[in-house]
Amino acid sequence: MNKKLIALTFAASLFAACGSDSSNNASSDSDDYKREFATSISTGETMFIGTMSLDHTDDLGKDFVEVGTRAGVVYYDNSLFIADLDVGSISRYSLAENNKLGKVTAKLSLPGTWVNHIYFVNDEKAYLGGMLDSLIIINPKTMKKTGAIDLSKYKDKDALVVSPGTGVIVDGRLYVGLLQNVSDYATGNEAQVAIIDVKKDEVVAVAKDDRVAAVGSLDDSQNQAFTVIDGYIYCYSNASWGYAPGQVDGFLRIKVGETKFDKDYAWYITKDVAIDGITKKDNFKYLSPASNEKDGLVYAFLNVMVDLKQAWTDMDSYHNNTCKPVQLNLAKKTIKALPIGYSSSWASYGKYVEDDGKVVFAVSTEEDGNAYFRYDPKTDKAEKIAKSEQIPMWIVPLK
């Protein structure tokens, strides 16, 4: 279940951030330091998006923009692209000195339209995806619409809209999941991926496979549910977060350059995954989008609400601590729980693989509150490196 899919309006103020456990994070009178990440944070039920440094989380909350409960952030070409889905707009923000959040330099308004995905071809061409029945083609410098690719002929007869969701561009082709939305939550019983030539703006083929439900997600502004490893595009289905009984969740893959799913590969998360003390086979569970690969490994949060005998009841459910940080090897179909506490589902998207293979997780846990951890896969140990008053969400590197 995706908290950003709920269209609620809230009014809240941004709280001042508190200090970190890091000795490098002492409160300072100056903010003359470089921000390494874009991030989204939550206070109550309101979201804010801006830039931050893990060494200065005492300053977290400066130079942020307030957005609605449904928003995404993407970094490209020294700019932040912020999709505020509650008002139907995507704005390009400049980055000032030290990567401080700058001004809006261009904006595209799409009132009443959910558009949360940007796939960049180059600095003058990108695609927008969402609940559209099409891919919008834009110039990301000016945020002006320059064309569109009509996808309506691929819409199932019982779908309200065919939504291009998670996607990735590889070797001149955009691979994008098609979500047959029959509601905000139910996204189709079959995996479908449109393969698009980015030079011709034409659909080459649509790969289909009924072994899992729709792959990709509307809730994945970083497009992390499609992961490229060793020449394969791994595509994840969360089975509509459990809101469509009977759907099958898990991973399929497409070999780069081909137009069909690999018939010899499928990894069913609910059916196949059991972790001692964490989850049992056949208990419904789902992953937040996997992060970018490093050494063939990906990282995610595994939501084991059923194992913990909890259920969605209201907005407060998003703060239940049901999401366990995990490491996955998609090729070998293995999964390992990491030594970090259960995070709330609201804070179950923030993770970043550093150049040395260590992984930063943003969490909201009972034991450690709202915090950042660094996990070292070589030692299988995690260290709390910073904390904040706000609930941390996305971690988007500014490079």
Side-chain angles (χ1 to χ4, degrees), residues 20-22 24-25 33-37 52-58 60 352 354 360-362 371-374 385-387 395:
S20 160
D21 290 354
S22 168
N24 295 325
N25 204 358
Y33 57 85
K34 190 171 183 178
R35 280 80 168 160
E36 303 99 350
F37 299 96
M52 65 165 289
S53 167
L54 287 172
D55 290 331
H56 295 273
T57 55
D58 52 329
L60 189 61
Y352 169 64
E354 299 176 307
V360 174
F361 285 90
Y372 297 86
F373 278 79
R374 178 174 282 116
I385 57 174
K387 63 182 180 180
I395 304 176

Side-chain angles (χ1 to χ4, degrees), residues 142-175:
T142 63
M143 295 304 290
K144 299 292 186 182
K145 181 178 176 180
T146 60
I149 300 174
D150 184 10
L151 299 173
S152 61
K153 69 179 181 180
Y154 303 108
K155 181 167 62 178
D156 291 349
K157 62 181 180 179
D158 58 344
L160 300 174
V161 61
V162 57
S163 307
T166 307
V168 64
I169 295 177
V170 186
D171 292 347
R173 289 181 170 182
L174 169 64
Y175 297 77

Side-chain angles (χ1 to χ4, degrees), residues 27-265:
S27 181
S28 63
D29 295 330
S30 171
D31 59 1
D32 187 24
Y33 57 85
K34 190 171 183 178
R35 280 80 168 160
E36 303 99 350
F37 299 96
T39 187
S40 56
I41 57 177
S42 168
T43 62
E45 306 298 348
T46 301
M47 288 176 60
F48 296 82
I49 291 176
T51 59
M52 65 165 289
S53 167
L54 287 172
D55 290 331
H56 295 273
T57 55
D58 52 329
D59 285 342
L60 189 61
K62 290 186 177 180
D63 303 318
F64 273 48
V65 58
E66 182 176 353
V67 295
T69 57
R70 306 181 298 172
V73 56
V74 180
Y75 173 77
Y76 185 80
D77 191 26
N78 200 41
S79 298
L80 288 188
F81 295 79
I82 297 177
D84 191 338
L85 307 180
D86 282 349
V87 298
S89 70
I90 296 183
S91 301
R92 175 174 175 151
Y93 284 79
S94 64
L95 293 181
E97 185 180 3
N98 292 324
N99 284 336
K100 294 180 184 178
L101 186 64
K103 298 179 179 179
V104 175
T105 58
K107 183 176 182 179
L108 176 63
S109 293
L110 298 164
T113 304
W114 176 293
V115 182
N116 196 30
H117 295 266
I118 308 179
Y119 326 94
F120 293 97
V121 179
N122 53 48
D123 59 1
E124 294 188 347
K125 181 179 178 180
Y127 300 104
L128 300 182
M131 296 183 75
L132 294 167
D133 280 341
S134 65
L135 279 168
I136 296 176
I137 307 171
I138 65 166
N139 182 324
K141 285 187 175 180
T142 63
M143 295 304 290
K144 299 292 186 182
K145 181 178 176 180
T146 60
I149 300 174
D150 184 10
L151 299 173
S152 61
K153 69 179 181 180
Y154 303 108
K155 181 167 62 178
D156 291 349
K157 62 181 180 179
D158 58 344
L160 300 174
V161 61
V162 57
S163 307
T166 307
V168 64
I169 295 177
V170 186
D171 292 347
R173 289 181 170 182
L174 169 64
Y175 297 77
V176 59
L178 297 184
L179 307 174
Q180 302 288 345
N181 284 96
V182 298
S183 71
D184 279 352
Y185 307 115
T187 57
N189 297 321
E190 179 184 52
Q192 299 181 5
V193 174
I195 302 169
I196 294 168
D197 185 316
V198 302
K199 289 185 178 180
K200 298 179 179 179
D201 296 329
E202 295 177 353
V203 178
V204 176
V206 175
K208 297 184 178 182
D209 199 308
D210 62 5
R211 287 177 292 171
V212 303
V215 292
S217 175
L218 287 175
D219 186 39
D220 183 14
S221 65
Q222 301 305 306
N223 291 306
Q224 291 178 331
F226 277 28
T227 306
V228 183
I229 301 175
D230 294 334
Y232 285 96
I233 302 165
Y234 289 85
C235 313
Y236 174 64
S237 169
N238 62 18
S240 300
W241 303 280
Y243 276 87
Q247 286 191 347
V248 179
D249 60 279
F251 287 91
L252 300 179
R253 71 183 185 184
I254 300 172
K255 191 172 184 178
V256 173
E258 297 188 357
T259 58
K260 295 182 179 180
F261 285 98
D262 180 355
K263 289 297 183 182
D264 295 324
Y265 180 91

Side-chain angles (χ1 to χ4, degrees), residues 267 297-300 324-329 334-338 359 361 375 377 380:
W267 186 22
L297 302 174
V298 298
Y299 294 87
K324 184 68 174 175
V326 293
Q327 178 196 79
L328 304 97
N329 185 314
T334 60
I335 188 168
K336 179 174 71 173
L338 303 184
V359 190
F361 285 90
Y375 170 72
D380 194 29

